Amino acid sequence: MAVEGFQMSWLLLALDWLIRLAALFWIPSRSTPGAARSWLLLVGFVPLLGLPLYLLLGEPWLSRQRVRRQAESSQVIREEQVLLQPLRWLPPGDTPIAEIAPLVERQGDFMPIHGNAVMLLDDYDAALRALLDDIAGASQRVHLLYYLMFDDAVGEAVITALEQAAARGVHCRLLLDAVGAKRGLRRYRKRLLAAGVEVRAMLPGGLRWRRSGRMDMRNHRKIAVIDNRVGHIGSQNLAASDFVPGFPNRELVARLQGPVVAQLEAVFASDWFIESGQRLEVMADVPLCAADVATQLLPSGPAYPFSNARDAVNALIHLARRRIVLVTPYFVPDEATLSALRIAALSGVQVQLILSASNNQRLTAWAQQAYYDELLRAGVRIALYRPHFLHAKHLSVDDDIALVGSINLDIRSFALNAEIGVLCYDTAVVRRLQVIEADYLADCEQLSAARWQQRPAWRRSREGIARLADALM
């Protein structure tokens, strides 16, 4: 008996080291250096737990079918944009816009176009009312794509609006993330189908996840397209502002009119095709708006060849000449973004980060605090917004570039989630966004490097340990 126990101990020890050595040769070749370090640390400490977790969550892979369908969609978008070619907006030479616009177009497929109107909706209830009113005025079709929908008063209001639109003969389609909108799908799917609304769950889990991709990859976009006249894009989901108890959300939504609506419809059609294989016709005859705002869509996600959102955000940070303000609820940057922020501040650019003082994800909150010291010492200003959970995601560069959408400044948004943003090259839109930023700052606590360095040692340790898990967030 003792011999058998001795043999079993040696067998477990050999297996333990075999896993460690295999991970050392396998993981670095399939992950970024930062992610590889995190995974190797976990496997090194707990091999029998770390290996299964890596096999499930380690590689940001999508099924070949999804990657192929995204490539097909990108090709169609590039070919069909010839219809909008007369609306192409040419940025002035020798400006940051002239450098960012070609990058966004080459990576995300959409060219900058003029003739649009952009309304920024900073009030949660007002943004919801605008969406419901637009659905109520639909005459042809309503397309909604959202990460999260709850079975609450807001979910009920949206479902009722879709039922009423379908009863009028409006063709309604609803795309919801299978995980984020699980409650809404469970409550409303049969009811919507009975009303004639087409419903699809994006990136389904369970036994079907192998046909989708890594199980924690999500479609995080928030898009609404009504007829060929109006679109909504931003951070707000289909749920009440206090859907997370104790964390009432503050959001920002851009209500769009003009040719950009056809581009937004193309993003919806692309995601519908990726999920269903069904091709939708995109309306291209969208009227021009007198406001004549130049816009450019920035879609991103793991199905694209490059990290579109990360590259665009980093380029904007580097291109800022005087000031850049970045607003995000989750701030867990990769090394490239961290370096860009530090270099911009040390170069004399006023860099202002506005983050939420409260956070509904504790590990993420601890991890992002690990970056404050380095950034504060470089001259980056960090403000913590206190009245609500600031869930808005946007940035402004100098006086002529604004980015509004669903993109967080974290590794998950950059590498794992499908996201969407709209770049607005317009001083009036930027001025409106600056007013919103100033309103945030009036209710913020500005951190100081000296005060931050006085935090207890146990907090520093907690932050450092949490930062090691950045590849898992």
Side-chain angles (χ1 to χ4, degrees):
M1 198 69 177
V3 174
E4 292 179 359
F6 181 75
Q7 291 175 338
M8 180 60 69
S9 297
W10 273 104
L11 181 61
L12 289 174
L13 182 62
L15 178 62
D16 189 79
W17 278 100
L18 180 63
I19 291 173
R20 286 189 173 99
L21 291 173
L24 183 61
F25 286 97
W26 185 26
I27 292 176
S29 66
R30 295 171 176 265
S31 306
T32 63
R37 283 192 294 270
S38 297
W39 282 110
L40 287 173
L41 186 64
L42 178 61
V43 173
F45 271 104
V46 196
L48 294 179
L49 174 64
L51 180 62
L53 280 177
Y54 178 79
L55 293 176
L56 286 174
L57 305 174
E59 299 177 33
W61 66 274
L62 278 176
S63 69
R64 292 180 181 178
Q65 181 186 69
R66 287 178 179 273
V67 174
R68 185 183 70 251
R69 286 179 175 177
Q70 178 63 69
E72 292 175 14
S73 295
S74 292
Q75 183 64 29
V76 171
I77 288 170
R78 291 177 179 275
E79 292 173 354
E80 293 297 325
Q81 275 194 108
V82 67
L83 299 174
L84 297 176
Q85 193 65 32
L87 300 175
R88 175 184 282 275
W89 180 74
L90 298 177
D94 193 28
T95 63
I97 300 175
E99 295 188 45
I100 192 64
L103 170 68
V104 172
E105 182 174 358
R106 292 186 186 114
Q107 291 196 335
D109 306 323
F110 291 101
M111 65 184 181
I113 54 175
H114 67 87
N116 305 291
V118 179
M119 178 186 296
L120 298 181
L121 301 172
D122 180 42
D123 180 86
Y124 200 102
D125 293 335
L128 175 62
R129 285 195 302 271
L131 175 62
L132 295 175
D133 288 346
D134 286 333
I135 295 174
S139 60
Q140 296 170 286
R141 58 185 177 184
V142 174
H143 288 165
L144 304 182
L145 187 165
Y146 281 85
Y147 168 68
L148 185 150
M149 183 174 74
F150 270 26
D151 52 346
D152 57 14
V154 171
E156 183 67 29
V158 173
I159 296 309
T160 300
L162 289 174
E163 289 175 326
Q164 293 173 348
R168 299 194 305 270
V170 177
H171 200 154
C172 299
R173 296 183 176 93
L174 179 63
L175 269 173
L176 295 171
D177 185 81
V179 174
K182 184 177 181 180
R183 284 174 51 176
L185 285 165
R186 184 172 56 237
R187 175 75 175 271
Y188 299 122
R189 187 199 290 265
K190 291 182 180 179
R191 178 174 155 188
L192 287 168
L193 292 174
V197 178
E198 296 185 57
V199 182
R200 294 277 179 177
M202 297 179 287
L203 294 164
L207 297 176
R208 295 173 292 172
W209 73 273
R210 291 292 301 180
R211 297 203 303 268
S212 299
R214 180 172 138 176
M215 63 174 56
D216 65 332
M217 285 185 171
R218 308 292 2 129
N219 192 313
H220 193 243
R221 294 169 178 161
K222 293 96 175 167
I223 292 174
V225 185
I226 293 90
D227 293 338
N228 64 338
R229 62 183 180 84
V230 64
H232 293 243
I233 181 175
S235 63
Q236 189 164 325
N237 286 293
L238 303 180
S241 62
D242 58 351
F243 68 89
V244 178
F247 296 93
N249 284 20
R250 185 168 182 181
E251 309 282 2
L252 184 66
V253 173
R255 184 178 183 270
L256 309 174
Q257 292 176 285
V260 68
V261 175
Q263 294 183 323
L264 201 60
E265 177 84 324
V267 176
F268 179 92
S270 174
D271 278 357
W272 188 269
F273 172 63
I274 290 171
E275 291 299 332
S276 68
Q278 177 187 3
R279 298 179 184 272
L280 303 179
E281 182 180 350
V282 176
M283 298 180 179
D285 56 336
V286 182
L288 297 176
C289 296
D292 201 30
V293 175
T295 65
Q296 187 175 23
L297 287 188
L298 172 62
S300 66
Y304 287 90
F306 303 100
S307 298
N308 302 353
R310 180 200 64 193
D311 291 350
V313 168
N314 289 346
L316 287 168
I317 296 170
H318 284 299
L319 290 170
R321 296 179 175 180
R322 296 181 302 279
R323 61 178 291 278
I324 180 168
V325 180
L326 307 101
V327 180
T328 180
Y330 307 117
F331 179 72
V332 185
D334 61 6
E335 288 299 324
T337 307
L338 189 65
S339 176
L341 290 168
R342 186 178 64 250
I343 291 171
L346 290 172
S347 299
V349 175
Q350 180 183 319
V351 181
Q352 176 71 70
L353 267 176
I354 305 178
L355 310 173
S356 186
S358 60
N359 197 308
N360 61 352
Q361 297 186 19
R362 185 167 297 179
L363 184 63
T364 300
W366 295 341
Q368 74 180 32
Q369 291 169 0
Y371 298 93
Y372 293 174
D373 187 61
E374 177 181 352
L375 291 173
L376 288 168
R377 284 189 287 108
V380 175
R381 302 179 183 181
I382 301 176
L384 302 181
Y385 180 78
R386 296 207 169 278
H388 303 88
F389 175 44
L390 186 58
H391 190 251
K393 309 138 195 309
H394 52 86
L395 62 84
S396 63
V397 178
D398 296 332
D399 298 315
D400 48 10
I401 303 177
L403 172 61
V404 178
S406 68
I407 303 165
N408 294 310
L409 299 184
D410 65 0
I411 296 171
R412 168 162 294 281
S413 258
F414 288 166
L416 301 180
N417 289 345
E419 305 283 6
I420 183 73
V422 59
L423 284 151
C424 303
Y425 306 122
D426 183 84
T427 55
V429 173
V430 174
R431 281 198 299 269
R432 167 63 180 140
L433 192 57
Q434 289 172 347
V435 171
I436 294 171
E437 294 164 353
D439 188 58
Y440 295 158
L441 289 170
D443 287 314
C444 280
E445 173 197 358
Q446 287 278 3
L447 294 182
S448 70
R451 182 179 175 186
W452 185 249
Q453 290 173 359
Q454 294 174 2
R455 68 196 188 283
W458 65 267
R459 284 188 57 184
R460 296 172 183 265
S461 299
R462 182 182 68 183
E463 295 159 8
I465 293 171
R467 182 172 174 173
L468 292 174
D470 58 0
L472 309 178
M473 296 178 188

